[in-house]
Amino acid sequence: MQSWVNKLWYQGHPLRFVLWPLALLFSAITGFRRLLFRLGLKKAIKLPVPVIIVGNITVGGSGKTPTVIYLIELLRKHGLKPGVISRGYGVEIDGVRAVLPEDSADTVGDEPSMIVKRTQVPMVVGAKRVDAANKLLAEFDVDIIISDDGLQHYQLARDIELVILDGERRFGNGMLLPAGPLREGAWRLQSVDHIIVNGGRALQGEVQMTLHPSAWLPVSSQYDAGGSPTTDSPLVAMAGIGNPQRFFDTLTAQGYQLEQTQVFDDHSTYSESVLNELARGRILAMTEKDAVKCRDFAKDNWWYLAVDAKLSASFDQQLLAKIDRLVADK
């Protein structure tokens, strides 16, 4: 499925023109919804603390989760107490619920599970982001909220909008869903606070973000971190993320030999039997996002590569200065 979508959205497949009428319908529906908020017929809910949206205008992974983790650490260093809200993609959640470190990815979503396991941040997931934010404020000591995704969720008023853009794929064929990968047109970028480009090269006015490998860690917590992968041993690499090739390229750039690569759909659910057959006793390398879904049945030769986002000092300074002004105004 993912390879077919890539051909359609990023490789100029002619089927995009067949789907163009549906893209026009999608544009009309989403445009009408934005108009309702602009006219005040639908109300955006303002919260008593600053809200930062980390989103994108394209479908698929662009690097939002590493950016959220970066922001959590940056805000904490600045003396703030961040909390996070998220949709919890791919799971059925009755209302909203807090995410605990012991929660599995199949109950709260892979990205929320990864964020909380990495940072221990207070986090609430649910389809209604305003309800999630209210629960976060009621049950946890937070003074600023990061919304993981939700750029198009206009019911939640926001103070800062950060858009993450895949620097290699950018806007694909430039068409709206389903003919292309865009949730909103590129015009939307004119109103956001920062455009953060993950990979590729940032253009003028954009902020460059890079992902740096930090450590190999065992997928299962039952095993220690001894005997981690080396460049002398071939790897079987798998990825079920928005742009899996980026993970494979990261490994080869670090000097690792990839004996085999396997792409899964983004947010895939994994089974022990399938991954055992894939690995066949060899070293299996995966992303941190994939690892949170495999911990319960992982073998001692399964490893994930943790990565950290890096942004410029000037971006940090501009963002923190704006947050300080928002906090003072609240």
Side-chain angles (χ1 to χ4, degrees), residues 7-276:
K7 288 179 181 178
L8 175 63
W9 290 350
Y10 300 106
Q11 298 175 19
H13 196 284
L15 181 60
R16 67 190 189 278
F17 296 114
V18 177
L19 296 175
W20 180 62
L22 293 177
L24 288 179
L25 177 62
F26 178 79
S27 176
I29 293 171
T30 55
F32 178 69
R33 184 170 179 274
R34 286 192 299 270
L35 179 62
L36 293 178
F37 280 100
R38 199 158 49 239
L39 296 176
L41 299 177
K42 281 183 172 287
K43 298 295 184 181
I45 308 301
K46 191 78 172 173
L47 298 179
V49 300
V51 174
I52 303 174
I53 300 288
V54 179
N56 55 19
I57 63 169
T58 58
V59 172
S62 55
K64 293 189 300 296
T65 302
T67 306
V68 168
I69 292 172
Y70 178 90
L71 292 175
I72 292 167
E73 295 171 348
L74 176 67
L75 295 174
R76 283 173 169 169
K77 290 176 183 175
H78 196 60
L80 294 166
K81 295 174 287 187
V84 180
I85 59 173
S86 177
R87 168 67 178 84
Y89 183 88
V91 296
E92 292 294 330
I93 296 172
D94 185 14
V96 297
R97 61 167 291 176
V99 181
L100 303 176
E102 60 269 21
D103 284 333
S104 61
D106 59 3
T107 58
V108 296
D110 46 18
E111 288 153 347
S113 177
M114 172 183 163
I115 290 169
V116 172
K117 279 182 169 63
R118 171 80 85 95
T119 67
Q120 311 296 306
V121 73
M123 187 168 188
V124 175
V125 294
K128 296 184 177 180
R129 287 175 175 81
V130 172
D131 291 349
N134 285 330
K135 181 177 178 68
L136 187 66
L137 292 172
E139 298 185 5
F140 298 94
D141 182 20
V142 302
D143 53 19
I144 187 167
I145 291 176
I146 302 168
S147 176
D148 178 20
D149 210 353
L151 185 68
Q152 292 77 31
H153 195 86
Y154 290 105
Q155 187 183 27
L156 177 62
R158 65 284 311 267
D159 300 284
I160 297 173
E161 291 182 328
L162 307 179
V163 166
I164 318 302
L165 186 64
D166 186 320
E168 298 170 353
R169 301 192 297 182
R170 295 190 74 88
F171 309 118
N173 62 18
M175 301 177 74
L176 292 173
L177 289 165
L182 296 183
R183 300 173 176 178
E184 294 181 285
W187 54 266
R188 181 67 171 84
L189 300 180
Q190 299 173 12
S191 61
V192 304
D193 294 271
H194 293 281
I195 304 166
I196 299 173
V197 176
N198 179 21
R201 178 176 296 180
L203 304 179
Q204 184 175 3
E206 298 175 342
V207 179
Q208 186 74 62
M209 180 175 79
T210 54
L211 298 179
H212 294 260
S214 58
W216 282 108
L217 297 169
V219 176
S220 174
S221 58
Q222 298 179 22
Y223 304 110
D224 59 33
S228 59
T230 68
T231 54
D232 297 327
S233 303
L235 307 178
V236 177
M238 57 166 278
I241 57 177
N243 186 358
Q245 190 59 45
R246 180 184 290 122
F247 176 60
F248 304 146
D249 291 344
T250 296
L251 294 177
T252 55
Q254 296 291 312
Y256 293 98
Q257 306 170 52
L258 305 188
E259 182 177 336
Q260 181 181 347
T261 60
Q262 179 64 53
V263 173
F264 294 94
D265 287 340
D266 195 10
H267 301 287
S268 285
T269 299
Y270 301 116
S271 71
E272 182 176 1
S273 60
V274 168
L275 297 191
N276 279 337

